[in-house]
Amino acid sequence: MIAGPSDQPALLSARSRQERGADPAIGRPHGAATTIDALDAAEAAGSPAARIVRRAFRRTYDVTDLAMGAADVLRSNDIGTMVTAAPALYPHMWSWDAAFISIGLAHLGVDRAGQEIRTLLAAQWADGMIPHIVYGDRGGYFPGPGRWGTAELSASAPQAPLTSGICQPPVHAIAVGRILEVARRGSAEDRAAGEQLVRDSWDALYRWHAWLSQYRDPDGTGLIAVVHGWESGMDNSPRWDQPYTAVVPGPDLPPYVRLDRELVRDGAERPTDLEYDRYLWLIEEMRRASYDPVKVYDTCSFLVADVFVSAIFAVASDVLADLGEEFGQPAAHVAELRTWAARSRAAVAASCHPETGLARDFDRRTGQWIDVETLAGFAPLICGGLDADAERALLATLHGPRWAGHPELVAKVPPTVSPDSAGFKSREYWRGPQWPVVSWLFGWAHARHGHTAAAATLRTETLKLVGDGAFSEYYEPVTGEALGSRMQSWTAAVILDWCTAR
Ligand code: 9WN
């Protein structure tokens, strides 16, 4: 369990919120339901007054309070072996969540941060893949391990712990690098624990990057493919709408019951049932390929070169190579990481649309670029690789009036889709809302590439956005309303990192 710095969080503690009757998934005290439902109805009817009232009710806390509240969320979601992604909606470990969560944990104890990474890596498949979900002992999430059947069907999957059969964006080396930075600011024990973590995790992370390179970019294009929208982490982004039309669920799709819709009552905040049918059908396809990565690549009806995952892969490969050099890891492996980083960085830059400058995904099944404007288009700002003028222009677009600086937004934080785009849906998951964790990633990348002022703005504005202390999964950009799960661990983790940032 986490040993935390504060016993008296100034924010209403997560546990006491639950005790007082707030539903952790909905996060709304029951007494407030009528007012909020009335506001929802008024807003749905297009009343600007409802938006103004909602904004006026937003409360804000200072940085110390936020840090204590964030620490409290992490402690409260810690089930000993892992910090679950969220208490009700996601009661297990998710791969990229765990990486961000470990960054937050580093501020509460470097050992505990290391344990989180070790728990994830203990579930790494024999071939090198880090699975997108590591299941704990509790059920409570669909699809659970039985639906995937990885332990029975795949020779590479572990028998224990049970895992899903796909992966998520490779942010893990970034997390280990950040944990080391935090550790080096702490005590001698912290420093030793941070350095030991690098030594213990480096080879596993190298094998993970090698898996992505070998099985998801077999032709060495530099763009890493995903075989499921869940692998992108941006599950129902409009980026995937076209490729998903090729995923046609068969009549033999086994029946299922969604649990997420019981926890997030407003259906507009989650993917649709048709989207879920497709998600589940892809699992059937992968089961039929026994999760063999070569067969999956060849047969899966969804195969898209993901420009945002590729950008993360590029920069994370560089971070891992830097750590490898410092910690005396095999020179040949470090050199491979540098090659992958350079190749992916160049491919991300080359994907940019000649007019908009936004990076694009590539549908490998149809052989076409996907010209859909979303936050993923700013991928080159994650990995670098543009010439100085193009990079400055892209940075100005991200922070300008079509995106983070849009005049309607409550905080200057990039939305997942621009409010000026036809596909913008202010409440719907990856189709418009602001995700604090994605802002942190851009902030980290801005700082790495020397855009210090832009990094500082993202920090300040995201702290403003999450000032209600709900630590929500995502936020409605125009009103700042907390959406999806409350007490979401990765939101708390990145806020804690930003609150204690140096
Ligand atoms: C499916 C856990 C995960 C995040 C993803 C986010 C959401 C799952 C879901 O939650 O995905 O993996 O059930 O919607 O889209 O990025 O890792 O927080």
Side-chain angles (χ1 to χ4, degrees):
M1 290 294 205
I2 304 162
S6 93
D7 293 320
Q8 296 179 312
L11 285 178
L12 185 59
S13 81
R15 224 177 280 289
S16 61
R17 271 200 300 271
Q18 274 170 278
E19 280 157 10
R20 285 177 179 208
D23 178 337
I26 309 303
R28 179 187 288 176
H30 294 319
T34 320
T35 317
I36 292 172
D37 288 346
L39 279 174
D40 286 344
E43 208 166 288
S47 156
R51 285 182 172 183
I52 293 164
V53 171
R54 210 193 279 288
R55 278 189 186 209
F57 272 103
R58 283 177 54 74
R59 293 175 300 161
T60 48
Y61 293 89
D62 69 18
V63 167
T64 313
D65 287 347
L66 266 182
M68 288 195 281
D72 190 42
V73 168
L74 292 178
R75 274 190 230 114
S76 162
N77 292 346
D78 185 2
I79 59 169
T81 48
M82 61 176 68
V83 173
T84 59
L89 192 57
Y90 308 118
H92 304 280
M93 171 180 269
W94 264 255
S95 167
W96 76 326
D97 296 54
F100 290 111
I101 289 166
S102 69
I103 292 171
L105 290 176
H107 297 283
L108 303 176
V110 176
D111 267 338
R112 184 62 188 84
Q115 187 192 327
E116 202 68 6
I117 296 286
R118 288 183 177 92
T119 299
L120 178 67
L121 294 180
Q124 183 170 26
W125 286 27
D127 61 11
M129 183 180 82
I130 296 184
H132 111 289
I133 302 176
V134 181
Y135 291 97
D137 299 337
R138 309 165 177 190
Y141 180 78
F142 180 84
R147 186 76 182 205
W148 292 97
T150 52
E152 302 94 76
L153 294 168
S154 161
S156 290
Q159 296 297 314
L162 294 173
T163 75
S164 67
I166 55 173
C167 62
Q168 272 191 325
V171 289
H172 314 87
I174 296 173
V176 169
R178 179 71 186 142
I179 293 168
L180 181 65
E181 275 172 22
V182 173
R184 284 180 164 162
R185 298 199 312 245
S187 63
E189 287 82 24
D190 284 342
R191 188 186 172 92
E195 292 178 348
Q196 194 55 45
L197 176 65
V198 177
R199 286 188 204 97
D200 291 349
S201 61
W202 198 91
D203 185 58
L205 293 177
Y206 162 76
R207 290 193 303 110
W208 163 222
H209 283 230
W211 184 89
L212 285 165
S213 173
Q214 180 176 353
Y215 294 115
R216 294 312 182 79
D217 184 20
D219 299 321
T221 66
L223 292 182
I224 303 287
V226 294
V227 297
H228 196 300
W230 282 343
E231 291 203 311
S232 72
M234 301 186 183
D235 311 2
N236 72 337
S237 168
R239 303 158 71 190
W240 313 134
D241 287 351
Q242 182 59 36
Y244 264 127
T245 60
V247 181
V248 183
D252 47 343
L253 174 67
Y256 65 95
V257 177
R258 289 178 66 171
L259 295 180
D260 61 316
R261 290 300 319 281
E262 287 169 24
L263 294 165
V264 180
R265 277 174 258 154
D266 177 3
E269 294 177 32
R270 293 283 304 172
T272 62
D273 287 345
L274 172 60
E275 284 167 332
Y276 253 74
D277 277 355
R278 288 171 167 155
Y279 299 162
L280 271 297
W281 182 249
L282 287 175
I283 296 178
E284 288 311 303
E285 291 187 347
M286 288 180 228
R287 287 178 59 104
R288 288 167 198 187
S290 303
Y291 298 100
D292 173 332
V294 175
K295 276 194 204 143
V296 167
Y297 191 94
D298 289 343
T299 61
C300 204
S301 48
F302 184 103
L303 184 73
V304 185
D306 178 326
V307 81
F308 201 73
V309 164
S310 304
I312 290 172
F313 177 73
V315 73
S317 293
D318 264 338
V319 170
L320 196 56
D322 291 345
L323 291 172
E325 262 166 22
E326 185 186 341
F327 285 81
Q329 299 298 320
H333 291 178
V334 171
E336 269 180 300
L337 286 163
R338 296 276 184 223
T339 304
W340 298 334
R343 193 164 66 192
S344 289
R345 201 172 12 255
V348 169
S351 79
C352 291
H353 190 285
E355 277 151 35
T356 64
L358 293 180
R360 292 175 294 173
D361 304 300
F362 186 79
D363 188 333
R364 292 227 176 276
R365 289 284 176 251
T366 62
Q368 285 173 342
W369 290 107
I370 300 175
D371 279 316
V372 177
E373 183 198 36
T374 73
L375 186 54
F378 296 93
L381 297 177
I382 299 291
C383 61
L386 297 178
D387 66 50
D389 285 348
E391 179 157 316
R392 253 194 306 276
L394 197 61
L395 189 68
T397 306
L398 178 63
H399 294 279
R402 192 170 172 84
W403 287 91
H406 195 285
E408 288 229 346
L409 302 193
V410 81
K412 292 182 179 28
V413 171
T416 39
V417 171
S418 161
D420 292 344
S421 270
F424 175 72
K425 295 204 170 134
S426 70
R427 306 175 69 79
E428 198 182 322
Y429 215 39
W430 293 96
R431 294 182 185 271
Q434 294 152 314
W435 288 67
V437 72
V438 178
S439 299
W440 184 93
L441 187 59
F442 274 104
W444 174 86
H446 285 354
R448 179 175 172 90
H449 300 305
H451 305 304
T452 320
T457 303
L458 273 184
R459 173 184 177 274
T460 312
E461 292 292 320
T462 307
L463 293 184
K464 181 166 134 194
L465 181 68
V466 304
D468 64 351
F471 300 102
S472 235
E473 191 181 5
Y474 46 100
Y475 289 80
E476 208 277 7
V478 178
T479 61
E481 184 190 352
L483 299 176
S485 172
R486 309 302 191 265
M487 294 167 58
Q488 180 86 6
S489 297
W490 67 3
T491 304
V494 298
I495 295 308
L496 187 54
D497 187 61
W498 257 339
C499 286
T500 47
R502 265 192 291 144

PDB file of all heavy atoms in Angstrom, residues 167-189:
ATOM      1  N   CYS A 167      -2.463  -4.625 -27.095  1.00  0.00           N
ATOM      2  CA  CYS A 167      -1.563  -3.754 -26.321  1.00  0.00           C
ATOM      3  C   CYS A 167      -2.083  -2.312 -26.315  1.00  0.00           C
ATOM      4  O   CYS A 167      -3.183  -2.036 -26.786  1.00  0.00           O
ATOM      5  CB  CYS A 167      -0.149  -3.839 -26.879  1.00  0.00           C
ATOM      6  SG  CYS A 167       0.010  -3.294 -28.585  1.00  0.00           S
ATOM      7  N   GLN A 168      -1.285  -1.413 -25.764  1.00  0.00           N
ATOM      8  CA  GLN A 168      -1.621   0.019 -25.696  1.00  0.00           C
ATOM      9  C   GLN A 168      -0.360   0.849 -25.973  1.00  0.00           C
ATOM     10  O   GLN A 168       0.740   0.301 -26.081  1.00  0.00           O
ATOM     11  CB  GLN A 168      -2.200   0.359 -24.317  1.00  0.00           C
ATOM     12  CG  GLN A 168      -3.706   0.169 -24.222  1.00  0.00           C
ATOM     13  CD  GLN A 168      -4.284   0.759 -22.950  1.00  0.00           C
ATOM     14  OE1 GLN A 168      -3.647   0.732 -21.896  1.00  0.00           O
ATOM     15  NE2 GLN A 168      -5.498   1.278 -23.029  1.00  0.00           N
ATOM     16  N   PRO A 169      -0.495   2.174 -26.089  1.00  0.00           N
ATOM     17  CA  PRO A 169       0.661   2.999 -26.469  1.00  0.00           C
ATOM     18  C   PRO A 169       1.872   2.809 -25.532  1.00  0.00           C
ATOM     19  O   PRO A 169       1.727   2.722 -24.306  1.00  0.00           O
ATOM     20  CB  PRO A 169       0.108   4.427 -26.363  1.00  0.00           C
ATOM     21  CG  PRO A 169      -1.360   4.271 -26.626  1.00  0.00           C
ATOM     22  CD  PRO A 169      -1.739   2.971 -25.989  1.00  0.00           C
ATOM     23  N   PRO A 170       3.075   2.774 -26.126  1.00  0.00           N
ATOM     24  CA  PRO A 170       4.287   2.443 -25.360  1.00  0.00           C
ATOM     25  C   PRO A 170       4.885   3.633 -24.601  1.00  0.00           C
ATOM     26  O   PRO A 170       5.990   4.083 -24.895  1.00  0.00           O
ATOM     27  CB  PRO A 170       5.244   1.942 -26.449  1.00  0.00           C
ATOM     28  CG  PRO A 170       4.834   2.699 -27.684  1.00  0.00           C
ATOM     29  CD  PRO A 170       3.356   2.928 -27.577  1.00  0.00           C
ATOM     30  N   VAL A 171       4.164   4.102 -23.591  1.00  0.00           N
ATOM     31  CA  VAL A 171       4.641   5.264 -22.822  1.00  0.00           C
ATOM     32  C   VAL A 171       5.541   4.848 -21.646  1.00  0.00           C
ATOM     33  O   VAL A 171       5.982   5.706 -20.870  1.00  0.00           O
ATOM     34  CB  VAL A 171       3.453   6.095 -22.268  1.00  0.00           C
ATOM     35  CG1 VAL A 171       2.739   6.843 -23.375  1.00  0.00           C
ATOM     36  CG2 VAL A 171       2.465   5.218 -21.519  1.00  0.00           C
ATOM     37  N   HIS A 172       5.818   3.548 -21.533  1.00  0.00           N
ATOM     38  CA  HIS A 172       6.449   3.041 -20.299  1.00  0.00           C
ATOM     39  C   HIS A 172       7.861   3.551 -20.060  1.00  0.00           C
ATOM     40  O   HIS A 172       8.232   3.844 -18.928  1.00  0.00           O
ATOM     41  CB  HIS A 172       6.399   1.515 -20.322  1.00  0.00           C
ATOM     42  CG  HIS A 172       5.040   1.026 -20.716  1.00  0.00           C
ATOM     43  ND1 HIS A 172       4.672   0.850 -22.031  1.00  0.00           N
ATOM     44  CD2 HIS A 172       3.940   0.775 -19.977  1.00  0.00           C
ATOM     45  CE1 HIS A 172       3.405   0.466 -22.092  1.00  0.00           C
ATOM     46  NE2 HIS A 172       2.933   0.422 -20.862  1.00  0.00           N
ATOM     47  N   ALA A 173       8.646   3.657 -21.129  1.00  0.00           N
ATOM     48  CA  ALA A 173      10.017   4.154 -20.936  1.00  0.00           C
ATOM     49  C   ALA A 173       9.983   5.619 -20.489  1.00  0.00           C
ATOM     50  O   ALA A 173      10.826   6.058 -19.689  1.00  0.00           O
ATOM     51  CB  ALA A 173      10.811   4.013 -22.229  1.00  0.00           C
ATOM     52  N   ILE A 174       9.003   6.359 -20.996  1.00  0.00           N
ATOM     53  CA  ILE A 174       8.847   7.760 -20.568  1.00  0.00           C
ATOM     54  C   ILE A 174       8.599   7.781 -19.062  1.00  0.00           C
ATOM     55  O   ILE A 174       9.169   8.599 -18.327  1.00  0.00           O
ATOM     56  CB  ILE A 174       7.677   8.423 -21.326  1.00  0.00           C
ATOM     57  CG1 ILE A 174       7.978   8.494 -22.826  1.00  0.00           C
ATOM     58  CG2 ILE A 174       7.350   9.801 -20.749  1.00  0.00           C
ATOM     59  CD1 ILE A 174       6.812   8.983 -23.692  1.00  0.00           C
ATOM     60  N   ALA A 175       7.764   6.851 -18.595  1.00  0.00           N
ATOM     61  CA  ALA A 175       7.451   6.803 -17.162  1.00  0.00           C
ATOM     62  C   ALA A 175       8.685   6.457 -16.341  1.00  0.00           C
ATOM     63  O   ALA A 175       8.977   7.108 -15.324  1.00  0.00           O
ATOM     64  CB  ALA A 175       6.337   5.787 -16.913  1.00  0.00           C
ATOM     65  N   VAL A 176       9.430   5.458 -16.796  1.00  0.00           N
ATOM     66  CA  VAL A 176      10.625   5.062 -16.020  1.00  0.00           C
ATOM     67  C   VAL A 176      11.623   6.226 -15.986  1.00  0.00           C
ATOM     68  O   VAL A 176      12.228   6.515 -14.936  1.00  0.00           O
ATOM     69  CB  VAL A 176      11.252   3.772 -16.607  1.00  0.00           C
ATOM     70  CG1 VAL A 176      12.610   3.494 -15.996  1.00  0.00           C
ATOM     71  CG2 VAL A 176      10.310   2.588 -16.367  1.00  0.00           C
ATOM     72  N   GLY A 177      11.757   6.915 -17.099  1.00  0.00           N
ATOM     73  CA  GLY A 177      12.652   8.077 -17.128  1.00  0.00           C
ATOM     74  C   GLY A 177      12.199   9.160 -16.157  1.00  0.00           C
ATOM     75  O   GLY A 177      13.013   9.761 -15.446  1.00  0.00           O
ATOM     76  N   ARG A 178      10.910   9.384 -16.113  1.00  0.00           N
ATOM     77  CA  ARG A 178      10.382  10.424 -15.215  1.00  0.00           C
ATOM     78  C   ARG A 178      10.529   9.997 -13.743  1.00  0.00           C
ATOM     79  O   ARG A 178      10.876  10.810 -12.885  1.00  0.00           O
ATOM     80  CB  ARG A 178       8.906  10.681 -15.564  1.00  0.00           C
ATOM     81  CG  ARG A 178       8.214  11.715 -14.702  1.00  0.00           C
ATOM     82  CD  ARG A 178       8.682  13.128 -14.977  1.00  0.00           C
ATOM     83  NE  ARG A 178       8.098  14.083 -14.046  1.00  0.00           N
ATOM     84  CZ  ARG A 178       8.735  15.132 -13.531  1.00  0.00           C
ATOM     85  NH1 ARG A 178       9.988  15.391 -13.867  1.00  0.00           N
ATOM     86  NH2 ARG A 178       8.134  15.950 -12.698  1.00  0.00           N
ATOM     87  N   ILE A 179      10.286   8.721 -13.472  1.00  0.00           N
ATOM     88  CA  ILE A 179      10.457   8.229 -12.092  1.00  0.00           C
ATOM     89  C   ILE A 179      11.910   8.441 -11.648  1.00  0.00           C
ATOM     90  O   ILE A 179      12.180   8.875 -10.522  1.00  0.00           O
ATOM     91  CB  ILE A 179      10.071   6.730 -11.983  1.00  0.00           C
ATOM     92  CG1 ILE A 179       8.572   6.546 -12.217  1.00  0.00           C
ATOM     93  CG2 ILE A 179      10.463   6.162 -10.619  1.00  0.00           C
ATOM     94  CD1 ILE A 179       8.137   5.092 -12.406  1.00  0.00           C
ATOM     95  N   LEU A 180      12.839   8.182 -12.556  1.00  0.00           N
ATOM     96  CA  LEU A 180      14.256   8.368 -12.216  1.00  0.00           C
ATOM     97  C   LEU A 180      14.540   9.840 -11.878  1.00  0.00           C
ATOM     98  O   LEU A 180      15.254  10.138 -10.912  1.00  0.00           O
ATOM     99  CB  LEU A 180      15.136   7.891 -13.375  1.00  0.00           C
ATOM    100  CG  LEU A 180      16.640   7.996 -13.144  1.00  0.00           C
ATOM    101  CD1 LEU A 180      17.089   7.068 -11.999  1.00  0.00           C
ATOM    102  CD2 LEU A 180      17.424   7.640 -14.420  1.00  0.00           C
ATOM    103  N   GLU A 181      13.964  10.743 -12.675  1.00  0.00           N
ATOM    104  CA  GLU A 181      14.165  12.175 -12.390  1.00  0.00           C
ATOM    105  C   GLU A 181      13.654  12.529 -10.993  1.00  0.00           C
ATOM    106  O   GLU A 181      14.321  13.227 -10.226  1.00  0.00           O
ATOM    107  CB  GLU A 181      13.368  13.026 -13.389  1.00  0.00           C
ATOM    108  CG  GLU A 181      14.057  13.292 -14.701  1.00  0.00           C
ATOM    109  CD  GLU A 181      13.112  13.979 -15.691  1.00  0.00           C
ATOM    110  OE1 GLU A 181      12.107  14.607 -15.273  1.00  0.00           O
ATOM    111  OE2 GLU A 181      13.380  13.852 -16.889  1.00  0.00           O
ATOM    112  N   VAL A 182      12.448  12.033 -10.678  1.00  0.00           N
ATOM    113  CA  VAL A 182      11.866  12.323  -9.360  1.00  0.00           C
ATOM    114  C   VAL A 182      12.746  11.697  -8.273  1.00  0.00           C
ATOM    115  O   VAL A 182      13.057  12.330  -7.255  1.00  0.00           O
ATOM    116  CB  VAL A 182      10.413  11.786  -9.280  1.00  0.00           C
ATOM    117  CG1 VAL A 182       9.859  11.923  -7.869  1.00  0.00           C
ATOM    118  CG2 VAL A 182       9.520  12.521 -10.283  1.00  0.00           C
ATOM    119  N   ALA A 183      13.193  10.477  -8.509  1.00  0.00           N
ATOM    120  CA  ALA A 183      14.008   9.763  -7.520  1.00  0.00           C
ATOM    121  C   ALA A 183      15.304  10.520  -7.230  1.00  0.00           C
ATOM    122  O   ALA A 183      15.765  10.588  -6.089  1.00  0.00           O
ATOM    123  CB  ALA A 183      14.321   8.359  -8.038  1.00  0.00           C
ATOM    124  N   ARG A 184      15.877  11.107  -8.255  1.00  0.00           N
ATOM    125  CA  ARG A 184      17.163  11.792  -8.088  1.00  0.00           C
ATOM    126  C   ARG A 184      17.035  13.111  -7.345  1.00  0.00           C
ATOM    127  O   ARG A 184      18.036  13.690  -6.926  1.00  0.00           O
ATOM    128  CB  ARG A 184      17.829  11.986  -9.461  1.00  0.00           C
ATOM    129  CG  ARG A 184      18.413  10.671  -9.942  1.00  0.00           C
ATOM    130  CD  ARG A 184      19.088  10.773 -11.272  1.00  0.00           C
ATOM    131  NE  ARG A 184      19.947   9.599 -11.477  1.00  0.00           N
ATOM    132  CZ  ARG A 184      20.408   9.205 -12.647  1.00  0.00           C
ATOM    133  NH1 ARG A 184      20.109   9.888 -13.741  1.00  0.00           N
ATOM    134  NH2 ARG A 184      21.177   8.147 -12.746  1.00  0.00           N
ATOM    135  N   ARG A 185      15.815  13.558  -7.186  1.00  0.00           N
ATOM    136  CA  ARG A 185      15.606  14.761  -6.368  1.00  0.00           C
ATOM    137  C   ARG A 185      15.358  14.401  -4.912  1.00  0.00           C
ATOM    138  O   ARG A 185      15.247  15.273  -4.057  1.00  0.00           O
ATOM    139  CB  ARG A 185      14.395  15.551  -6.890  1.00  0.00           C
ATOM    140  CG  ARG A 185      14.551  16.063  -8.304  1.00  0.00           C
ATOM    141  CD  ARG A 185      13.566  17.174  -8.571  1.00  0.00           C
ATOM    142  NE  ARG A 185      12.233  16.815  -8.133  1.00  0.00           N
ATOM    143  CZ  ARG A 185      11.188  16.650  -8.953  1.00  0.00           C
ATOM    144  NH1 ARG A 185      11.342  16.814 -10.244  1.00  0.00           N
ATOM    145  NH2 ARG A 185      10.004  16.352  -8.471  1.00  0.00           N
ATOM    146  N   GLY A 186      15.225  13.090  -4.633  1.00  0.00           N
ATOM    147  CA  GLY A 186      14.854  12.664  -3.284  1.00  0.00           C
ATOM    148  C   GLY A 186      16.054  12.212  -2.464  1.00  0.00           C
ATOM    149  O   GLY A 186      17.193  12.646  -2.688  1.00  0.00           O
ATOM    150  N   SER A 187      15.783  11.314  -1.534  1.00  0.00           N
ATOM    151  CA  SER A 187      16.819  10.820  -0.615  1.00  0.00           C
ATOM    152  C   SER A 187      17.753   9.839  -1.340  1.00  0.00           C
ATOM    153  O   SER A 187      17.484   9.436  -2.474  1.00  0.00           O
ATOM    154  CB  SER A 187      16.130  10.075   0.534  1.00  0.00           C
ATOM    155  OG  SER A 187      15.457   8.954   0.005  1.00  0.00           O
ATOM    156  N   ALA A 188      18.795   9.409  -0.637  1.00  0.00           N
ATOM    157  CA  ALA A 188      19.716   8.418  -1.214  1.00  0.00           C
ATOM    158  C   ALA A 188      18.970   7.122  -1.520  1.00  0.00           C
ATOM    159  O   ALA A 188      19.216   6.468  -2.536  1.00  0.00           O
ATOM    160  CB  ALA A 188      20.855   8.167  -0.227  1.00  0.00           C
ATOM    161  N   GLU A 189      18.013   6.764  -0.649  1.00  0.00           N
ATOM    162  CA  GLU A 189      17.234   5.525  -0.897  1.00  0.00           C
ATOM    163  C   GLU A 189      16.382   5.670  -2.159  1.00  0.00           C
ATOM    164  O   GLU A 189      16.272   4.754  -2.956  1.00  0.00           O
ATOM    165  CB  GLU A 189      16.299   5.204   0.284  1.00  0.00           C
ATOM    166  CG  GLU A 189      16.992   4.701   1.523  1.00  0.00           C
ATOM    167  CD  GLU A 189      17.557   5.851   2.360  1.00  0.00           C
ATOM    168  OE1 GLU A 189      17.043   6.995   2.233  1.00  0.00           O
ATOM    169  OE2 GLU A 189      18.523   5.623   3.101  1.00  0.00           O
TER     170      GLU A 189
END
